[in-house]
Amino acid sequence: MASSATAPNSLSFFSSSLFLSSSHQIPKTYISVSKLGSGRVSKPLSVSSQLATLPILSFEGEKVGETYLDLKAAPEDTARAVVHRAIVTDLNNKRRGTASTLTRGEVRGGGIKPYSQKKTGHARRGSQRTPLRPGGGVVFGPRPKDWSIKINRKEKKLAISTALSSAASAEGGAIVVEEFGEKFEKPKTKDFLAAMQRWGLDPKEKAMFLMIDVDENVAKSSRNIGTLRMLTPRTLNLFDILNADKLVLTPAAVEFLNARYGVDAVEEEDDDEDETEG
């Protein structure tokens, strides 16, 4: 009898609360954002504000307070499309596009006719470098290609904030831990694993840590844990957010996210320009 269980998604937060039906949604306040000073009237970009309350844990794993994330998020009918476009853009822009093969005109050798045209009993052949022979050219093989895709910076920013709000709104999807950089006097993976267990993190599950500054001892203590990603605001990316089972933030990281991706965030002058990441 076939099992009724389905395979889990590789990008875990695609199945979180933001992408479920409206009956599972947390009430949102919708606002409209339109570019000011433009000569034409265009359809405003609708975004939603989703408030998520996160517990603050001490280094020993005790709850010492609460904080909140108030980030912009795409409406539920367009959230999946916005996040999908951004993740496809990131993955395509990582492709080097240097794969190349040689055609029959570029393969070395094959200048002489291997045998006469007639009276041999074989099919006529003009070169040994035909694609039908070993060592010959390749038909319709890969050639150097530019796979990069341009995406509006404001759209990519909205995709990241949508993924973050999805993770924060999911039950147990994100926690906040007090600054623990000075707690590690020396690099030791065993101590970091013990701290993760106190915070309720399973080392077998994928976890993404976002810190403003990563202490050297913290970086060395966590680098041997294959399921863990230690990021800073400079290295924050959409793939690691979606690929993680749980997000771990610090109070300073929460302030950064609210300032950068929050409802009251100040738009940069170049947010309307297209960008292509190498």
Side-chain angles (χ1 to χ4, degrees):
M1 182 175 64
S3 175
S4 60
T6 58
N9 294 332
S10 57
L11 300 180
S12 58
F13 288 141
F14 274 155
S15 58
S16 62
S17 61
L18 187 64
F19 303 102
L20 295 177
S21 60
S22 58
S23 60
H24 297 275
Q25 294 298 317
I26 298 176
K28 310 180 187 71
T29 302
Y30 286 86
I31 59 176
S32 297
V33 179
S34 59
K35 185 177 179 181
L36 300 177
S38 57
R40 60 180 182 177
V41 178
S42 58
K43 184 178 180 180
L45 176 64
S46 296
V47 298
S48 61
S49 170
Q50 183 165 331
L51 182 65
T53 303
L54 304 178
I56 301 179
L57 304 180
S58 63
F59 185 72
E60 289 73 20
E62 300 177 356
K63 184 177 179 180
V64 294
E66 290 183 347
T67 186
Y68 70 94
L69 276 177
D70 192 10
L71 306 180
K72 295 179 181 178
E76 58 184 59
D77 56 338
T78 59
R80 184 182 292 271
V82 170
V83 175
H84 178 266
R85 170 172 162 77
I87 194 66
V88 169
T89 301
D90 286 347
L91 295 179
N92 272 27
N93 291 344
K94 289 181 180 180
R95 300 187 65 170
R96 299 179 61 184
T98 56
S100 180
T101 55
L102 300 180
T103 64
R104 63 180 298 169
E106 299 170 334
V107 178
R108 181 180 177 86
I112 188 173
K113 189 176 178 65
Y115 46 79
S116 60
Q117 181 83 347
K118 299 179 181 295
K119 300 180 181 181
T120 62
H122 299 293
R124 51 192 175 185
R125 179 165 294 155
S127 173
Q128 285 290 79
R129 293 299 178 257
T130 171
L132 305 179
R133 297 283 300 175
V138 178
V139 181
F140 304 125
R143 305 293 292 181
K145 179 179 179 180
D146 182 15
W147 292 93
S148 62
I149 302 177
K150 292 184 179 181
I151 185 173
N152 189 281
R153 291 190 179 184
K154 187 179 294 185
E155 184 179 1
K156 181 178 179 181
K157 187 176 178 181
L158 180 61
I160 294 178
S161 62
T162 300
L164 288 170
S165 63
S166 172
S169 61
E171 184 177 357
I175 60 173
V176 180
V177 179
E178 289 185 334
E179 299 292 342
F180 54 89
E182 299 179 354
K183 301 294 184 179
F184 292 88
E185 298 179 356
K186 60 180 180 179
K188 196 169 185 180
T189 305
K190 184 177 180 180
D191 293 344
F192 198 90
L193 289 174
M196 291 180 61
Q197 293 180 355
R198 292 196 300 269
W199 299 332
L201 303 177
D202 187 359
K204 296 182 180 180
E205 295 182 351
K206 298 178 182 179
M208 192 205 79
F209 283 70
L210 179 61
M211 304 176 63
I212 300 299
D213 295 315
V214 181
D215 188 77
E216 182 179 1
N217 291 336
V218 174
K220 291 182 178 180
S221 300
S222 61
R223 64 184 178 183
N224 288 334
I225 305 176
T227 57
L228 185 145
R229 292 284 295 167
M230 189 71 66
L231 303 181
T232 62
R234 183 179 180 85
T235 59
L236 181 64
N237 63 90
L238 183 59
F239 182 85
D240 285 332
I241 297 173
L242 295 174
N243 196 39
D245 296 317
K246 180 165 287 191
L247 304 185
V248 182
L249 312 174
T250 60
V254 173
E255 294 180 3
F256 163 77
L257 294 178
N258 286 328
R260 172 66 175 169
Y261 303 101
V263 178
D264 299 330
V266 179
E267 298 292 343
E268 298 179 358
E269 295 180 358
D270 57 352
D271 274 348
D272 293 327
E273 300 178 359
D274 293 340
E275 72 169 11
T276 303
E277 292 188 354

